Amino acid sequence: MIHLFIAMTSLIGISVPTQRSLITTDIDFSRPGFQSGTLRVPYSHNRSAYGHIPIPIAVLNAGAGPTVLLTGGNHGDEFEGPVALMKLAQRMPEMTISGRLIVIPALNFPAFLAGTRTSPIDRANLNRVFPGTRNGSVTEMIAHYVDTELFPLVDLIFDLHAGGASFNHLPTVLAALPADPRQQDQYKTLVDAFGAPHTMIMDLLGEDRTYGAAVARQGKLFFCGEFGGFGSCNPDGLLIVEQGLARFLHAAGLTKEVDAPAAVATRLIRVEGARHYLFAPRHGIFEHSVKLGEIVQAGQVAGRLFDPHAPWTAPLTLHFQSSGCVVCLRSFAGVEPGDCIALLASETNWS
Ligand SMILES: [Zn+2]
């Protein structure tokens, strides 16, 4: 059966029929109780002509309350979030909640299975293709499904990340205060409840193809975070995710009990434009001079860039343009021009 819904387009002022996503699911989001199943992404290729990619999904629906969507594996080389969500999915059948909990441990499932940031199928970065495309590549189809089918169902979203293979990141919630003042107090309460050691107001230098930007366009509350790096599952980061989510779900009104210690005060920091980024100006081998979490001053040496083709020449010394806390460091020593080597953030407040 072909499903159609009508999307109003303000550009031309008339109703235009828009076809629904080609991704289907055996989950009935309105059915009470626990369900586990898959999102089926059609994928016809040499090895499987009528095949699909089955993305695991778990749903618990229990009466009145908020709908919360928890996702991991947006990038396939980040594992604290997916492991926490797989453990949560195992507990879901026995959980008592008021509302609806939707858990997708590995949203870009092909990338997750490959352990790579981008999909091995289309090389796409899920977090740079929103709002996606119905008839696009596999990754674009996933984004389109999430944007058109899941976001409209939910009130709160937490997308769990880490630095991936190329970065190590301080355990940090990434916060973006909603534009609507009526949502801001609840947003701050939920950030405090999660209780990550740091909460960072990110600056992606104008990037608007992200999952978070797509959620913001729909006026839903979006939370995100980075909880490790090196393409590993950091046990400290995993504990922060698990305990933070327990407090977050309770503060959201979904659960009555919290199986986690009280939150510690989070330290609010902010990335302030390009001056907080350090990029490689040329090819080479980079030696860091600072450690993650270190407070640095403008002009301080960030590290040295060696030329592997002329090892007898003096390395190029790179300096930080700005003061701040080192929140993210590149893990690969080899760099190309334009690679991000380090990211800083400064103490701030919400205003
Ligand atoms: Zn990520």
Side-chain angles (χ1 to χ4, degrees):
M1 192 171 96
I2 297 174
H3 299 276
L4 296 176
F5 70 92
I6 304 301
M8 299 298 294
T9 165
S10 58
L11 286 176
I12 53 178
I14 60 171
S15 301
V16 176
T18 306
Q19 290 179 292
R20 285 183 67 170
S21 171
L22 288 165
I23 296 176
T24 58
T25 182
D26 46 349
I27 296 288
D28 177 351
F29 290 98
S30 63
R31 196 173 91 196
F34 176 77
Q35 299 171 74
S36 58
T38 58
L39 306 176
R40 298 160 61 108
V41 187
Y43 181 43
S44 177
H45 57 113
N46 291 339
R47 199 188 51 76
S48 183
Y50 294 162
H52 67 268
I53 297 164
I55 304 176
I57 177 172
V59 179
L60 179 59
N61 190 358
T67 293
V68 179
L69 170 63
L70 304 178
T71 50
N74 183 329
H75 295 129
D77 58 351
E78 305 169 1
F79 295 97
E80 293 80 0
V83 170
L85 295 185
M86 288 191 278
K87 292 166 76 173
L88 178 62
Q90 290 167 30
R91 296 197 304 274
M92 282 172 69
E94 282 74 47
M95 284 175 65
T96 301
I97 68 167
S98 300
R100 184 167 50 179
L101 179 59
I102 304 173
V103 172
I104 306 176
L107 192 55
N108 195 344
F109 200 52
F112 183 70
L113 293 180
T116 52
R117 181 174 180 83
T118 58
S119 173
I121 296 173
D122 54 18
R123 305 292 171 199
N125 175 349
L126 178 59
N127 214 26
R128 297 293 185 276
V129 299
F130 277 86
T133 310
R134 177 186 183 273
N135 302 337
S137 69
V138 164
T139 307
E140 291 168 336
M141 289 175 71
I142 295 171
H144 177 261
Y145 177 84
V146 172
D147 192 63
T148 59
E149 300 284 341
L150 292 186
F151 291 167
L153 295 178
V154 307
D155 303 298
L156 305 166
I157 296 162
F158 208 123
D159 189 36
L160 297 155
H161 287 251
S166 74
F167 278 136
N168 192 19
H169 208 296
L170 279 188
T172 307
V173 162
L174 301 186
L177 202 58
D180 185 343
R182 294 168 298 180
Q183 296 177 313
Q184 292 179 354
D185 284 347
Q186 185 192 13
Y187 191 88
K188 293 175 188 174
T189 297
L190 288 165
V191 165
D192 288 341
F194 190 93
H198 298 83
T199 296
M200 187 164 85
I201 300 170
M202 188 55 175
D203 182 349
L204 284 174
L205 308 179
E207 180 58 66
D208 64 357
R209 300 167 296 171
T210 62
Y211 187 119
V215 175
R217 285 191 283 271
Q218 298 196 25
K220 308 299 176 72
L221 292 189
F222 178 73
F223 304 83
C224 177
E226 310 278 354
F227 300 100
F230 296 128
S232 68
C233 182
N234 180 300
D236 296 332
L238 178 61
L239 188 64
I240 289 168
V241 172
E242 292 188 277
Q243 295 183 342
L245 283 181
R247 292 186 292 261
F248 178 87
L249 294 177
H250 179 258
L254 200 82
T255 55
K256 289 192 171 54
E257 309 288 333
V258 183
D259 185 17
V264 295
T266 189
R267 181 171 162 228
L268 197 62
I269 53 179
R270 185 189 299 268
V271 178
E272 296 172 348
R275 68 189 178 89
H276 267 155
Y277 286 80
L278 180 70
F279 295 105
R282 72 181 195 202
H283 168 81
I285 306 298
F286 190 74
E287 173 201 11
H288 287 291
S289 296
V290 299
K291 294 179 180 174
L292 204 59
E294 192 171 328
I295 304 297
V296 301
Q297 305 302 319
Q300 184 172 331
V301 172
R304 294 169 182 83
L305 184 55
F306 292 85
D307 181 351
H309 300 288
W312 43 84
T313 60
L316 177 67
T317 301
L318 300 187
H319 302 84
F320 291 109
Q321 294 181 56
S322 179
S323 303
C325 175
V326 180
V327 294
C328 183
L329 285 178
R330 179 174 174 82
S331 49
F332 300 141
V335 300
E336 298 291 337
D339 282 340
C340 181
I341 292 174
L343 180 64
L344 305 179
S346 298
E347 294 270 359
T348 190
N349 51 47
W350 283 113
S351 55

